């Protein structure tokens, strides 16, 4: 395989990895994933647990489903949502928690993505 092809393959793999992490880039989506780690939930259950609007929860679930991170099955007139790959998802979140512990306050203080960053100056792209 030519060096140029290796670079293209690596760039494509990194782009896909970036898409995966984008799926986890919102605190509400992370909260949904953590709740789904406990078992199946309906949208109404998640709205009650998280205090979010139904439309917000549905939008985040659609994003997570589009990314292949959650799946749903019908139950009566409702849908039951669950993690598509619970063990791998929890392994990733555990690794993230370990890394956050090692970085201390650096992530929270990051001028680009930290807690003090004004989200209105650089809105997160929609998942449309």
């Amino acid at each position: 395989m030519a060096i140029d092809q290796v670079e293209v393959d690596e760039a494509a793999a990194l782009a896909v990895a970036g898409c995966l992490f984008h799926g986890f880039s919102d605190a509400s989506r992370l909260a949904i994933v953590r709740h789904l780690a406990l078992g199946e939930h309906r949208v109404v259950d998640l709205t009650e647990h998280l205090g979010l609007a139904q439309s917000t929860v549905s939008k985040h679930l659609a994003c997570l489903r589009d990314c292949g991170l959650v799946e749903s099955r019908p139950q009566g007139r409702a849908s039951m949502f669950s993690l598509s790959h619970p063990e791998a998802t929890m392994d990733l979140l555990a690794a993230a928690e370990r890394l956050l512990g090692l970085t201390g306050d650096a992530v929270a203080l990051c001028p680009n993505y930290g807690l003090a960053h004004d989200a209105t100056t650089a809105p997160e792209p929609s998942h449309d």
Side-chain angles (χ1 to χ4, degrees), residues 21-97:
F21 283 102
H22 182 75
F24 289 110
S25 69
D26 183 273
S28 294
R29 284 195 293 272
L30 283 173
I32 289 169
V33 167
R34 293 184 120 191
H35 270 50
L36 293 178
L38 301 173
E40 289 184 315
H41 283 74
R42 299 175 300 163
V43 172
V44 68
D45 300 328
L46 292 167
T47 60
E48 290 173 9
H49 293 306
L50 301 172
L52 297 172
Q54 182 273 329
S55 60
T56 301
V57 171
S58 292
K59 177 184 169 188
H60 287 306
L61 284 168
C63 174
L64 292 166
R65 185 177 46 230
D66 290 346
C67 292
L69 300 171
V70 302
E71 55 194 22
S72 64
R73 66 174 182 81
Q75 183 177 22
R77 295 187 331 166
S79 293
M80 298 298 291
F81 288 86
S82 60
L83 295 176
S84 299
H85 309 283
E87 187 173 320
T89 301
M90 297 318 296
D91 288 348
L92 178 63
L93 294 180
E97 287 180 12

